[in-house]
Amino acid sequence: MDTVQRAIRERRSVTRVADTPVERARLNALIEAALWAPNHKLTLPWRFVVVSGDARDALGDAHADARRRLDPGLTPEGALAQRALTRRAPHIIVCAVRHPGDDPVARREDRDAVSAGIQNMLLAAHADGLGAVWRTGPFVDEPEVRAHLGCGPGEEIVGFVYVGLPDGDAPPAPPRPATADVAEWRDG
Ligand SMILES: Cc1cc2nc3c(=O)[nH]c(=O)nc-3n(C[C@H](O)[C@H](O)[C@H](O)COP(=O)(O)O)c2cc1C
């Protein structure tokens, strides 16, 4: 099996990582990989925010604020638990798409490009021995989180990529269907 096919199959969503910082150059290489994704009309629709150290708590606070508004019965312990979720990895690369216009086709294509960029990022992390998982969660579109990350009008958060050094074995691969179950072949 060739290198690319092997990397695609061996990459896993790694949720258990050590709280050890990763060198900035390695994180930067992940963002560079994202920039090589296909992008119709080369609109460069992406924006990234790398959240590390105590900045994770500020992002966690924004999540907790959103949750508190949606669930006024949330206990202080519940809010703290929500906030702590951003400490599940030493770094979170926030991947956003910027939509300059209202054209629905361009908006879809731009978001698709950012998603493709995230997959590049995950594969690059895997190739570099890093553990990474693409997370979204229920608050990705909530105003508290958007404002905290400086999202402008029309901008969307496509993913939070949690990155760190793997802590333990990679999780087993969830099964994938056989191509015969999902692909139709039309010849001639
Ligand atoms: C758009 C998107 C959102 C995701 N959000 C989460 C998430 O919030 N939490 C999580 O643990 N995994 C999340 N995942 C990762 C999937 O759960 C994971 O890809 C799936 O279980 C298959 O595992 P694998 O990536 O190891 O093949 C997300 C994946 C995608 C594409």
Side-chain angles (χ1 to χ4, degrees):
M1 195 181 294
D2 73 43
T3 311
V4 174
Q5 287 277 9
R6 186 185 300 275
I8 288 169
R9 283 162 175 70
E10 291 183 349
R11 176 211 61 81
R12 291 277 67 76
S13 291
V14 176
T15 53
R16 283 180 43 206
V17 292
D19 197 33
T20 308
V22 175
E23 300 90 325
R24 182 169 289 211
R26 293 173 79 182
L27 299 175
N28 198 55
L30 305 186
I31 296 171
E32 280 185 358
L35 301 183
W36 284 98
N39 170 208
H40 193 200
K41 299 184 180 167
L42 288 177
T43 55
L44 311 181
W46 18 62
R47 183 169 74 88
F48 303 95
V49 183
V50 185
V51 180
S52 309
D54 291 344
R56 293 173 296 173
D57 293 333
L59 177 59
D61 282 336
H63 278 81
D65 288 346
R67 182 151 171 214
R68 205 178 285 110
R69 176 175 53 78
L70 295 166
D71 174 10
L74 184 69
T75 62
E77 295 76 26
L80 276 177
Q82 180 66 56
R83 178 191 203 239
L85 293 180
T86 54
R87 285 214 168 242
R88 287 175 290 181
H91 309 283
I92 303 169
I93 305 178
V94 184
C95 307
V97 57
R98 293 185 292 194
H99 294 299
D102 292 332
D103 176 1
V105 174
R107 289 176 70 87
R108 191 180 64 224
E109 288 178 347
D110 283 347
R111 188 173 170 117
D112 290 345
V114 174
S115 296
I118 293 175
Q119 172 69 348
N120 279 5
M121 189 178 271
L122 296 176
L123 288 171
H126 171 66
D128 189 31
L130 295 169
V133 55
W134 177 350
R135 295 185 187 275
T136 45
F139 308 118
V140 77
D141 294 325
E142 298 302 338
E144 293 86 349
V145 176
R146 290 173 49 79
H148 178 73
L149 291 166
C151 293
E155 192 170 359
E156 294 171 68
I157 299 163
V158 183
F160 296 110
V161 176
Y162 283 59
V163 187
L165 300 168
D167 182 16
D169 294 336
R176 261 49 175 187
T179 57
D181 295 337
V182 295
E184 174 190 346
W185 304 79
R186 298 187 180 188
D187 301 318

